[in-house]
Amino acid sequence: MTDNREFEIVADTELPGTPERVWQAVTQDTSAWMFPTDQWPAVKTVDEYPSHLVTRMDGPDGWFNQLEHVLEPLDGGRAKLHYVHSGIFADNWEGQYDGASKHTEFYLHTLGQYLQYFDGKPVVFTDIQGPAASQTPDGFVQLKKALGVDGVAQGSTVEVDVDGVGRLSGELDFTNQHFLGLRTADTLYRFFGRNSFGAPVGMTVHDFSGSGDSELTAKAWGGFLEKVYA
């Protein structure tokens, strides 16, 4: 038995970039703030640059996944974004919807951070997954404690010593029970408490320094996560 049900996640936000720059970010520069989507077999069903974009993927038995972006210009080189993610989840509908809806807020926040601080800069993207041991109920809290930021308020300036990586100085630009964002002068570090959604804790690194090395980054952070959950 399957429990295929449609879902819709809607978000409205203001972003520190013109509609043209937001369009570029959500179509070409996704590695800079989310993850690479250039290999997705998505079709643009609406393509009205730079105000209305709908991309859709269809699969068997009615499955689909669709993203809609409606952009309006605001004063000061900003844009208003109306975002709708819709589709069908197969099985565990509540769990998948909960995870996807909570991820949306974090991804759109990170999009804003990219547009404000790193827009247009080349990026080296790295995805690192924690070990299976991170899937415990307190898995994300363990990571926050290891980083020394558990209980630190969003917007705080922090100095983080990461074993095997080094000292990171920057701003804790996002924090809640599921996600953590650290922005340094040249990098966005994103941490995901996916243990709450039945998966390992994970992270992404978006390196705009011009000297990033994804293989070395994955090795250093992977080693750190292994020690956290040993």
Side-chain angles (χ1 to χ4, degrees), residues 22-30 33 37-38 44 53 55:
V22 179
W23 185 288
Q24 172 71 23
V26 302
T27 58
Q28 302 296 320
D29 300 336
T30 58
W33 57 276
T37 61
D38 55 323
K44 293 180 180 178
L53 175 68
T55 56

Side-chain angles (χ1 to χ4, degrees), residues 163-196:
D163 188 20
V165 175
R167 171 163 285 197
L168 306 178
S169 303
E171 179 181 315
L172 205 65
D173 65 88
F174 191 97
T175 181
N176 64 22
Q177 70 180 102
H178 300 294
F179 306 105
L180 181 73
L182 171 63
R183 187 191 74 251
T184 67
D186 56 21
T187 305
L188 290 171
Y189 298 93
R190 310 287 98 177
F191 302 90
F192 300 86
R194 296 190 176 115
N195 55 307
S196 295

Side-chain angles (χ1 to χ4, degrees), residues 98-139:
D98 186 46
S101 60
K102 287 183 169 64
H103 275 72
T104 295
E105 178 187 4
F106 190 40
Y107 281 135
L108 293 182
H109 168 82
T110 303
L111 171 59
Q113 293 288 294
Y114 163 66
L115 289 167
Q116 184 169 351
Y117 296 101
F118 304 110
D119 185 22
K121 291 187 177 182
V123 65
V124 174
F125 170 83
T126 309
D127 181 275
I128 307 105
Q129 297 301 311
S134 67
Q135 293 181 238
T136 59
D138 66 341

Side-chain angles (χ1 to χ4, degrees), residues 39-94:
Q39 299 301 313
W40 284 17
V43 175
K44 293 180 180 178
T45 59
V46 178
D47 189 359
E48 301 172 359
Y49 177 85
S51 60
H52 192 191
L53 175 68
V54 179
T55 56
R56 180 179 174 112
M57 291 186 290
D58 287 280
D61 302 320
W63 180 91
F64 74 97
N65 188 67
Q66 179 173 287
L67 299 177
E68 180 177 23
H69 298 80
V70 180
L71 292 161
E72 299 178 24
L74 298 173
D75 292 340
R78 297 174 63 82
K80 178 181 178 181
L81 169 65
H82 177 68
Y83 171 90
V84 183
H85 180 194
S86 57
I88 287 180
F89 285 136
D91 303 316
N92 188 25
W93 193 94
E94 288 80 6

